[in-house]
Amino acid sequence: MALTRETEKAALEAFLLEQKAVHIYAIGDLHPSCWADCVWDGLREPVGGALRAVALTYRGLAVPVLQVLADPRSVPALDAAKRVLELLVAAPERLPAGAFEAHLNSSLETVLRDAGFAVEAHPHLRMVLAPADLAHLRAGPPLRGQGRAAAARRLTPADADACMDLCGTLERSWFEPQCLGSGIYYGVYSDGDDGGSLLAMGGTHVAAPEYGVAALGNIATRASQRRKGYGRLVVRALCLALADHGI
């Protein structure tokens, strides 16, 4: 069974929307602003041609991202995901050159290790906020961080230097300045006389109102300002803003 290069958005959309919460990142990449940076490879049923698993390589960031996508509830689907990765490894021209991030179901990293890749594995836990949960956010009391800090406000490309400064204090970060133009970001600044420093920030890896999904990411608080409520301010502002955008 061979991989096929997938270019029909409708077929990919139908496959991904079957597991909307699991495939949020890839659904967001169907958006026209991301589509040109995506390469999709699929494994199809020999009879009927239905998609069993999909590999998405996103090249719109400095470090490319590979996702292998399948229904995590189904053993045959996970077997298909493993086969997709084995086929990619056997045809290295389909993989990003150099270092890349890989989002894989648990244990699939062994396919890369067995092929000689240097793998540093980390668990990737996700939380899903359903539309019904937004009522609790809207009804709750206004949040405010401790100390002299304003409420969370929308960040723009003019905040790029402040964001890079904050992300430079972190062990790992996936933030790049262009994210401020392509995504929705909020931050909390201090109230210093010099205009203040950025205490916390967060935004969207993807946001696709047409599919009703978004994925939050690059959420960070300066180490000296943690446990003061600034992260909560950012996340609440993001969630309410996304709801206002129809997500």
Side-chain angles (χ1 to χ4, degrees):
M1 193 176 297
L3 291 176
T4 58
R5 183 57 49 86
E6 302 294 332
T7 59
E8 294 296 327
K9 187 178 291 188
L12 292 165
E13 180 181 278
F15 172 81
L16 297 172
L17 290 176
E18 288 181 359
Q19 285 291 302
K20 198 172 183 180
V22 175
H23 297 150
I24 282 178
Y25 287 93
I27 292 169
D29 289 334
L30 294 172
H31 191 273
S33 64
C34 301
W35 179 258
D37 292 315
C38 295
V39 177
W40 306 80
D41 291 297
L43 189 68
R44 290 181 172 271
E45 294 280 3
V47 178
L51 280 169
R52 297 178 61 197
V54 170
L56 162 61
T57 303
Y58 180 72
R59 302 178 185 270
L61 297 171
V63 177
V65 180
L66 169 68
Q67 298 182 62
V68 179
L69 308 160
D71 186 344
R73 305 167 302 174
S74 164
V75 172
L78 292 175
D79 288 341
K82 181 179 181 182
R83 184 58 182 151
V84 165
L85 193 55
E86 291 171 341
L87 291 169
L88 286 174
V89 167
E93 69 277 3
R94 290 180 180 264
L95 288 171
F100 60 91
E101 297 273 349
H103 292 191
L104 308 172
N105 289 103
S106 178
S107 80
L108 289 189
E109 71 273 9
T110 58
V111 175
L112 295 176
R113 283 201 177 99
D114 292 346
F117 286 84
V119 177
E120 183 181 341
H122 302 273
H124 187 177
L125 305 179
R126 298 182 184 180
M127 298 179 289
V128 177
L129 180 69
D133 297 325
L134 288 170
H136 298 290
L137 283 178
R138 293 193 184 280
L143 296 177
R144 189 172 182 84
Q146 298 175 17
R148 299 180 62 210
R153 69 166 176 81
R154 180 76 181 263
L155 300 180
T156 72
D159 297 291
D161 287 345
C163 291
M164 290 298 291
D165 177 69
L166 172 52
C167 291
T169 68
L170 307 175
E171 183 179 348
R172 302 178 74 201
S173 173
W174 291 265
F175 177 80
E176 295 183 9
Q178 67 266 27
C179 296
L180 293 171
S182 60
I184 299 172
Y185 273 76
Y186 277 78
V188 175
Y189 277 89
S190 66
D191 286 339
D193 295 335
D194 60 353
S197 61
L198 186 61
L199 305 179
M201 60 174 281
T204 54
H205 285 311
V206 296
E210 63 272 38
Y211 299 112
V213 300
L216 305 191
N218 293 319
I219 298 171
T221 301
R222 198 170 293 276
S224 62
Q225 301 297 325
R226 290 174 184 166
R227 300 194 178 279
K228 297 182 179 181
Y230 300 138
R232 286 187 297 164
L233 285 173
V234 168
V235 171
R236 183 175 189 271
L238 271 171
C239 291
L240 293 179
L242 289 169
D244 290 341
H245 280 77
I247 295 175

